[in-house]
Amino acid sequence: MSKRILMVEDTEDNRQIVRDLIATTEYELIEATDGAAGVAVAAAQKPDLILMDIQLPVMDGYEATRHIKSDPALRHIPIIAVTSYALSGDEAKALAAGCDGYIAKPFSPRQLLAKVRELLA
């Protein structure tokens, strides 16, 4: 059974980039377009990994990550923060919220895929 990746991303262009990238792999992609939907989809689908944008409508990525990591049924799911909000201290803030990895946009598809494979290994 292929591993499933949940992408929580509000920008269509960014979703398309990740869709195209994941289409070249054995992984299955599911999507949510805001933080609250991301938490709901994570609870319903129990993906193997989550790609979490930080600047999201309804609930930001930090808050969504905290919700997911506070749920005993979901806490084991690795979360990679994928954000263009790459200021000094942001990586530490993402990791403090519970993210397991951090990738700044614009990212190299190879770099993103390497991180995904590392966490799904």
Side-chain angles (χ1 to χ4, degrees):
M1 190 171 123
S2 66
K3 298 203 168 179
R4 289 179 312 161
I5 298 171
L6 167 60
M7 166 177 49
V8 186
E9 168 64 69
D10 60 327
T11 307
E12 174 60 34
D13 287 350
N14 293 338
R15 284 201 307 274
Q16 192 59 54
I17 290 166
V18 174
R19 263 185 225 128
D20 292 345
L21 177 64
I22 298 303
T24 69
T25 70
E26 66 279 16
Y27 306 124
E28 178 190 335
L29 188 66
I30 40 185
E31 300 178 26
T33 55
D34 68 63
V39 172
V41 172
Q45 302 272 333
K46 310 256 187 325
D48 297 288
L49 180 123
I50 299 170
L51 298 174
M52 181 72 74
D53 186 22
I54 297 301
Q55 291 178 293
L56 290 165
V58 186
M59 178 191 296
D60 73 26
Y62 296 126
E63 187 64 21
T65 296
R66 283 191 286 270
H67 274 278
I68 291 165
K69 291 295 187 174
S70 68
D71 183 332
L74 305 175
R75 135 178 338 145
H76 68 282
I77 302 170
I79 299 177
I80 302 174
V82 183
T83 181
S84 52
Y85 206 65
L87 298 172
S88 172
D90 276 353
E91 182 168 5
K93 193 171 168 186
L95 298 176
C99 290
D100 302 277
Y102 180 92
I103 291 189
K105 295 174 193 164
F107 53 80
S108 124
R110 195 178 302 127
Q111 175 198 17
L112 179 65
L113 209 48
K115 193 71 178 167
V116 164
R117 290 212 155 104
E118 174 193 324
L119 289 172
L120 287 177

